[in-house]
Amino acid sequence: MVGATKDVRPAAPLPGLREMAPERLPRLALIGNPNSGKTSLFNQLTGLNQKVGNFPGVTVDRKTGIAQLGGQRRAEVVDLPGTYSLYPKSLDERVIADLLYNPRSPDYPDFVVVTVDASNLRRSLLLFSQLADLGLPAILALNMTDVAAERGIQLDVATLERELGVPVVPMNARRGVGLAALRIVMADRLAARPPAGRFWQPAPELRLLLAEIRQHFKLPNDYLALHYAHQFRQLHFLSEDDRQYLATLTEKAAFNSTAQQAAETVARYAHINELLLEVVTVTRTERREPASNRIDKVLTHRVLGYLIFLAILFLLFQAIFAWAQYPMQWIDQGISALSAAIQARFHGPLVRLLTEGVIAGLGGVLIFIPQIALLFAFLAVLEETGYMARVTFLMDKLMRPFGLSGKSVVPLISGLACAVPAIMGARTIESWKDRMLTIFVTPLMSCSARIPVYTVLVALVVPDEAWLGIFNLRGLVLMGLYLLGLTSALLSALLLKAVLKARERSYFIMEFPVYRWPRWKNVGLTIVEKVKAFVTQAGKVIIAISILLWVLASYGPGRRQEQAALQVQQTASAGHWSAAETERRVASARLENSYAGSFGHVLEPAIRPLGFDWKVGIALLTSFAAREVFVGTMSTIYSVGQDADLGTVQQKLAGEKDAQGRPFFTPVRALSLLVFYVFAMQCMSTLAVTYRETKSWRWPLGQLVYMTGLAYVASLFVWQVWGS
C-alpha cells in the first residue's frame, strides 16, 4: 500500500532547535539540487569565494562561513553538496544524511534554506518535500527566476508559499538579486517552527516498525524513523549495536527498502504535480527549439563536438605561449636586473645567498604567473559558460571503452587544474572500484604544477616558429604533452580495471546547465586565488629549498672545492684560457665538488641511462614534494658561482654545456625529461589526499611506485632509442 499524502498534522519541533545554547550562533544549511546555485548563494551570504561552476559536482564537501542576517543577527552558514533526494547514492551525498539524520549532533542545523531552480520547479520540489517531512524549519530560495522569465514561466509565489507552508523568496543568486529579502526572512526564521503540513506519510503497515525505531532512538517523527530503516548501514553516527538492532527490526518487519523508496517517489511527484497546476503558468510556448538545444547539437555532435573541443585546446595552448611571452620576458628580465643591481653594489656571502639563492629561486616561480593565470582564466570561462558540462558529456563517450565510469569524467577534467580537489571530486562515484580506479589515474592528467617544467623545457629546445603558418610550434608540443597525460590515464585505467576485475557498470546522467555569459568577477577571483595559491604554496617551498640548495652548492666537504679550483686554474694557465672561460670552469669545478654536487653524483648512476646528469638529479630529488620546484632548483643550481648578468633562467639553461662542450639540453634530452615529468608522481599533497580518500596507504604507495616506474621506463625508452 502506498503512503498517503498531505496530512496537515504539525510536525514536532526537533530537539536541536530547542536545545540551542544561547551563546552559539544559529546554524543554517544550504541544500539543493546540483547546480541550483547553492554555492553562489553561500558566497553572497558570507562574502567568501568558494569555487562555483556552471555544472554539477563542484561542491563535494561541506563548507562553512558566517553570514550577517537582518536585524544585526548573524548565523553560521553550511554549504552542502548537491543532491536530488535524501536517499544518498554517493559519498558526497552521504554528508547530508550524516548531518540531517542526527538531531542530537552539535552540527545539526537550526533551519535549512532550500535553493530550487525556478525554471524546473517540479524536479526541485522533490528534495524540498522530503526535508519538510523531516520537520526542519525551512525557507525556499526560488533561484534562477531570470531563466524562468526568459522561458515564459510565471510563478504564483503567494500560492506557493501558502501550499508549502514556508517563506518563499524569489532571487538570482549569481547577481545577488533578492539577497536583502532573504537575509530578513532568515533572521525571522530563527524563531520559527517547522512547516505545518506534511507532503507524504509512510504506509500504515510500517507504523509499528517506525514506532519502535522512534521509541528506541527518541526520534521526533515517523519520516526520520523511516530513513533510519532505509539507511542505517550508511549512517556513520550509529553504533554497531544500533545497526544490528535496526537490521533485526527491519528483517522481522520484512521491510523492502527499494519498493518503499519507489512508492514514496511516485506519491511525492503526484502531489507535486497537483501543486504546480496551481502555481505555474506558462505564458508563451517557444515555437523554435530553445537556443541552448540548438547550440548543444553542434557542441556535442559526435564529430564536430570533438573537433571544436580540440580547437579550444589549440587556442588554450597557443595562448599560453604566445600571449604570455611578453609578460614572462618582463618578469625574467626584471629578476635578472634586480640580481645584477644588487651584486653591482654589494658584496659578500649574504649578497650571494640573496641573489643566487632567494632571488634566483623566486624568479623561477614568478616567471610562470602569466601562464598560470591564462590557464585558469580559460578554465573559469569554460565552467562559467556551461561548456565544461558538455565536455564531460563528450569525454564520457571517449572514456567508456577504457573502463572508466561516466562519473569519472568530472574528476579527470578537474585534474587539469589540480589533482587534489579532483580526487576529492571522485566522491560522486557510487561504485567503489570505479572510484578507486578514478583516484588512481587522476594524477596522470597534467596539472597546472607541470606547466613551469613543460614551458621552460619546450621553450628551450623547440623553435618559436609557426606550423602551417598558423599554429605556434611550441603550443602544439605543449598540447601533445597534455594529450600524452590523458592517453596514459586511459590506458592505465584499462590495465587497472583488468587487475581489479571490476565488472560493475554505472551510468552517467547529467543535466546540462543553460548557457550563460561568464561573470567576469568570478573569473577574476579564480585567477587571483589560483595565482596566489601558486605563489604562496609553491613559493614557500621553493624559497626554502633554494636557500638550502645555495648553502649545499656553495660549500663542500673539507678542501675539495679549493683543490678542484686550483687544479682548474693550473690547467687554464697552461692552456692560456681566457679570464671568462677560466672563471666559468672554476665555478663549475667548485659546484661539482660541493655538498650538492656530492649528492648529485650519488644519484647519477641511476639516472644517467635516462640522459640526465647530477645537476638534473638534484632537481628531480628536490621536486619530489612539488613538481614546480624543478625550475627553481635549476635556476639556483645554474646561478651559483655565475654573474647575475649572464642572462635569464632560460638563457642559463641554454648555456649549459656537456663534457664535449656541446649544448647539454638537446631536444632528445629535453624530451626524455619532459616524458619523465608527464608520468612521475611528484606531489606530496596528492599522495596525502589519496590516503585520506581511500583510508589506506596501499593506494598512494601504489600510485607512487606505478607512476615513478612508468616515468623511468618511458624516459629510458626515449633516451636509449633516440639519444644514444
Side-chain angles (χ1 to χ4, degrees):
M1 180 178 174
V2 177
T5 60
K6 209 169 181 177
D7 187 333
V8 293
R9 288 183 305 162
L14 291 172
L17 186 62
R18 293 198 303 267
E19 297 168 1
M20 185 177 72
E23 66 276 10
R24 178 173 75 79
L25 281 179
R27 182 178 294 112
L28 66 93
L30 296 179
I31 303 179
N33 292 167
N35 209 34
S36 63
K38 295 184 311 312
T39 306
S40 293
L41 180 57
F42 176 82
N43 288 342
Q44 294 279 3
L45 288 170
T46 62
L48 297 177
N49 295 311
Q50 292 296 332
K51 179 179 171 58
V52 295
N54 190 15
F55 65 100
V58 173
T59 306
V60 294
D61 204 352
R62 67 182 192 183
K63 309 283 192 319
T64 61
I66 304 298
Q68 186 70 46
L69 307 182
Q72 303 303 311
R73 304 191 69 172
R74 298 196 308 158
E76 181 184 350
V77 184
V78 183
D79 182 24
L80 294 168
T83 182
Y84 290 104
S85 81
L86 288 182
Y87 294 104
K89 304 295 183 189
S90 53
L91 282 181
D92 59 327
E93 293 178 349
R94 286 176 195 162
V95 172
I96 299 171
D98 282 330
L99 182 70
L100 299 184
Y101 295 171
N102 184 12
R104 294 171 191 81
S105 167
D107 295 330
Y108 191 78
D110 299 302
F111 70 97
V112 295
V113 176
V114 187
T115 57
V116 299
D117 179 354
S119 65
N120 196 345
L121 203 53
R122 180 177 181 272
R123 185 201 61 197
S124 305
L125 284 182
L126 175 68
L127 176 63
F128 172 84
S129 69
Q130 292 174 324
L131 290 166
D133 286 346
L134 279 183
L136 281 161
I139 297 171
L140 192 74
L142 199 58
N143 196 25
M144 303 184 193
T145 49
D146 55 332
V147 178
E150 287 173 8
R151 296 180 181 177
I153 299 172
Q154 286 187 352
L155 301 172
D156 185 342
V157 175
T159 303
L160 185 63
E161 222 171 41
R162 187 183 67 244
E163 292 293 324
L164 298 182
V166 299
V168 177
V169 183
M171 62 185 314
N172 181 336
R174 288 184 90 211
R175 300 185 181 281
V177 177
L179 193 64
L182 182 65
R183 288 183 194 275
I184 295 170
V185 172
M186 286 196 297
D188 293 340
R189 200 64 184 165
L190 293 178
R193 294 178 60 82
R198 293 285 183 82
F199 279 80
W200 180 82
Q201 285 283 0
E205 64 263 29
L206 296 177
R207 284 176 186 164
L208 180 59
L209 168 68
L210 300 182
E212 290 188 57
I213 296 175
R214 282 187 65 176
Q215 184 179 15
H216 184 82
F217 292 98
K218 296 183 173 50
L219 299 179
N221 59 61
D222 282 353
Y223 191 57
L224 185 55
L226 180 66
H227 276 276
Y228 274 52
H230 278 300
Q231 303 178 45
F232 64 88
R233 292 183 181 84
Q234 287 83 40
L235 297 180
H236 294 141
F237 58 84
L238 292 180
S239 66
E240 195 53 43
D241 289 342
D242 290 337
R243 292 196 181 96
Q244 187 56 48
Y245 170 77
L246 287 164
T248 306
L249 212 59
T250 51
E251 186 178 351
K252 181 181 170 185
F255 180 73
N256 187 331
S257 179
T258 304
Q260 290 294 336
Q261 285 186 40
E264 177 189 338
T265 304
V266 170
R268 285 186 185 278
Y269 270 122
H271 184 194
I272 291 168
N273 289 339
E274 291 176 13
L275 187 151
L276 293 182
L277 289 175
E278 301 178 43
V279 173
V280 178
T281 306
V282 180
T283 57
R284 68 171 187 275
T285 304
E286 293 284 348
R287 293 183 178 179
R288 296 182 62 193
E289 196 173 7
S292 185
N293 290 1
R294 287 181 306 207
I295 297 172
D296 280 342
K297 283 186 177 177
V298 178
L299 294 185
T300 61
H301 189 271
R302 60 183 178 178
V303 178
L304 274 179
Y306 291 103
L307 292 178
I308 291 171
F309 182 50
L310 279 176
I312 290 174
L313 286 182
F314 264 115
L315 180 63
L316 168 62
F317 295 116
Q318 296 293 307
I320 284 179
F321 267 108
W323 298 355
Q325 183 179 7
Y326 292 109
M328 287 180 71
Q329 284 179 357
W330 297 335
I331 293 172
D332 207 2
Q333 289 167 358
I335 294 290
S336 183
L338 177 63
S339 291
I342 293 173
Q343 287 194 352
R345 289 167 177 77
F346 306 100
H347 303 282
L350 287 179
V351 174
R352 288 181 53 218
L353 170 63
L354 178 66
T355 55
E356 297 172 358
V358 177
I359 295 180
L362 190 61
V365 180
L366 299 180
I367 191 174
F368 297 105
I369 286 179
Q371 291 178 325
I372 297 289
L374 272 173
L375 174 69
F376 282 104
F378 265 85
L379 292 179
V381 169
L382 295 182
E383 290 179 1
E384 282 275 320
T385 55
Y387 179 68
M388 193 60 85
R390 279 73 184 179
V391 171
T392 57
F393 172 76
L394 287 171
M395 297 301 286
D396 175 46
K397 292 182 180 176
L398 187 68
M399 291 181 179
R400 279 195 176 279
F402 295 92
L404 281 166
S405 157
K407 287 194 172 181
S408 306
V409 177
V410 174
L412 289 177
I413 294 291
S414 302
L416 292 175
C418 180
V420 173
I423 287 173
M424 292 173 65
R427 294 177 187 176
T428 59
I429 302 171
E430 295 93 352
S431 162
W432 179 83
K433 286 184 178 177
D434 285 353
R435 182 166 168 262
M436 293 301 107
L437 195 149
T438 304
I439 289 174
F440 193 88
V441 304
T442 293
L444 285 167
M445 301 294 286
S446 288
C447 64
S448 60
R450 288 178 169 103
I451 280 190
V453 184
Y454 288 175
T455 52
V456 76
L457 292 174
V458 170
L460 196 61
V461 296
V462 177
D464 188 14
E465 297 174 354
W467 182 65
L468 298 179
I470 303 174
F471 303 114
N472 182 283
L473 200 54
R474 291 176 174 176
L476 285 175
V477 174
L478 185 62
M479 182 175 167
L481 293 171
Y482 272 78
L483 292 178
L484 181 61
L486 171 64
T487 305
S488 66
L490 296 178
L491 293 176
S492 299
L494 192 61
L495 176 65
L496 190 60
K497 189 95 173 178
V499 172
L500 291 177
K501 298 178 181 175
R503 299 184 185 281
E504 299 171 64
R505 296 191 64 184
S506 61
Y507 298 92
F508 181 49
I509 301 173
M510 172 180 275
E511 182 185 7
F512 282 170
V514 295
Y515 288 103
R516 295 180 181 142
W517 282 108
R519 286 202 70 198
W520 298 112
K521 179 185 173 186
N522 287 348
V523 176
L525 285 173
T526 300
I527 294 171
V528 170
E529 287 182 1
K530 296 301 181 185
V531 168
K532 185 178 171 185
F534 173 73
V535 172
T536 55
Q537 293 175 11
K540 284 186 287 189
V541 177
I542 289 171
I543 289 177
I545 288 179
S546 297
I547 293 173
L548 178 64
L549 266 179
W550 180 85
V551 173
L552 293 175
S554 299
Y555 301 96
R559 294 183 53 79
R560 282 176 53 181
Q561 283 187 303
E562 289 74 12
Q563 291 169 355
L566 182 62
Q567 188 175 0
V568 171
Q569 286 169 346
Q570 290 172 348
T571 306
S573 177
H576 305 290
W577 293 352
S578 66
E581 179 65 12
T582 303
E583 187 178 354
R584 190 183 71 78
R585 295 286 186 99
V586 167
S588 178
R590 289 181 64 84
L591 178 61
E592 192 167 355
N593 287 277
S594 65
Y595 289 111
S598 301
F599 282 126
H601 281 296
V602 171
L603 291 174
E604 195 169 23
I607 58 175
R608 184 168 288 283
L610 313 184
F612 308 151
D613 67 354
W614 59 272
K615 291 183 181 178
V616 177
I618 295 172
L620 293 179
L621 188 65
T622 56
S623 61
F624 175 78
R627 298 178 181 92
E628 51 272 57
V629 174
F630 171 82
V631 178
T633 301
M634 297 295 275
S635 177
T636 301
I637 287 287
Y638 289 111
S639 296
V640 173
Q642 304 289 341
D643 292 334
D645 58 0
L646 280 181
T648 62
V649 175
Q650 191 172 319
Q651 288 169 337
K652 287 171 184 171
L653 297 182
E656 178 68 1
K657 307 291 183 186
D658 63 12
Q660 289 74 41
R662 296 171 300 191
F664 178 77
F665 285 100
T666 61
V668 177
R669 183 173 274 119
L671 179 62
S672 175
L673 197 50
L674 283 167
V675 166
F676 187 91
Y677 272 91
V678 167
F679 299 130
M681 164 58 84
Q682 292 173 296
C683 182
M684 293 294 288
S685 301
T686 301
L687 292 173
V689 78
T690 299
Y691 170 72
R692 196 181 78 174
E693 294 297 305
T694 60
K695 305 287 188 292
S696 166
W697 280 112
R698 183 176 56 169
W699 292 98
L701 290 177
Q703 280 178 326
L704 179 64
V705 172
Y706 175 74
M707 292 178 64
T708 305
L710 183 62
Y712 191 92
V713 171
S715 186
L716 180 71
F717 176 81
V718 169
W719 182 251
Q720 294 301 322
V721 172
W722 292 297
S724 301

